[in-house]
Every structure is written in C-alpha cells, then in structure tokens.
Amino acid sequence: MLQKAMLCAKIRKGSFIYNKALGTELLQVDIKSPGASQTATVLLNEALVTEKGFKAEVESMERTEDGKLRVLIAVKNEEETRRAQVTINADL
C-alpha cells in the first residue's frame, strides 16, 4: 500500500495515459498555507479510497532548492505504520 501511495503522489492526476484516474494533485497545494498537510492528506486518501483498512497521511511538505516538492508520507493500518519520502518532479 505504501508503494501505491508513493506512485499516486508522484503522478499528476490525469497525466498517465493508461489510467487517467491514477495520481493526485499534490503539486497544486500551497505548502505555505496553514492547512497544507491536511489538504495533501485528503488528496492522497482520495487516490487510495478503494483500499479498505488503510489510511495515508502527509506528515511534511517542502520545496527543494530546484523547485521540486518533497513529501513525507505515512501509510497506516491497524497493525503498523510505514513511511516514505517522495519527490514530485514531473508528469509521466
């Protein structure tokens, strides 16, 4: 599930030719706004809505020096939490 969350975070929704529903709009989030992490979490969970028993959370967001978005994602189920850092930089 963590791999799916990472993939969805990296892909802009609608840009993947074989599955237009895959991806998120995380690049559109204003990371300086007070609710940026909450908004990003909602967008990520929308991409994972079909997966029961899992919840994703965006724990942090930052811009790199070259303008890319770096996001720390946590995916949880009742037994464990796994985290991964994703750098969003381009469409597929």
Side-chain angles (χ1 to χ4, degrees), residues 29-31 33-42 57-61:
V29 176
D30 177 9
I31 66 170
S33 70
S37 289
Q38 285 181 314
T39 301
T41 295
V42 169
E57 182 179 350
V58 175
E59 295 185 339
S60 68
M61 300 173 69

Side-chain angles (χ1 to χ4, degrees), residues 10-22:
K10 288 181 181 182
I11 299 171
R12 185 179 56 84
K13 190 169 192 163
S15 69
F16 187 57
I17 194 167
Y18 298 109
N19 185 352
K20 296 289 185 181
L22 185 67

Side-chain angles (χ1 to χ4, degrees), residues 1 13 16 27 30 33 51 58 70 72 74 78 80 91:
M1 185 50 53
K13 190 169 192 163
F16 187 57
L27 282 174
D30 177 9
S33 70
E51 306 298 331
V58 175
R70 186 176 298 141
L72 178 61
E78 292 186 17
E80 65 181 318
D91 293 340

Side-chain angles (χ1 to χ4, degrees), residues 24-85:
T24 63
E25 293 292 340
L26 289 180
L27 282 174
Q28 304 300 321
V29 176
D30 177 9
I31 66 170
K32 294 180 182 177
S33 70
S37 289
Q38 285 181 314
T39 301
T41 295
V42 169
L43 291 171
L44 189 56
N45 278 301
E46 282 178 359
L48 303 175
V49 74
T50 60
E51 306 298 331
K52 297 183 191 260
F54 291 93
K55 182 180 179 204
E57 182 179 350
V58 175
E59 295 185 339
S60 68
M61 300 173 69
E62 65 181 358
R63 289 273 177 206
T64 62
E65 290 179 13
D66 56 358
K68 297 175 184 175
L69 180 63
R70 186 176 298 141
V71 181
L72 178 61
I73 296 172
V75 176
K76 305 172 187 181
N77 65 12
E78 292 186 17
E79 298 173 11
E80 65 181 318
T81 300
R82 293 193 176 201
R83 289 177 176 80
Q85 192 169 54

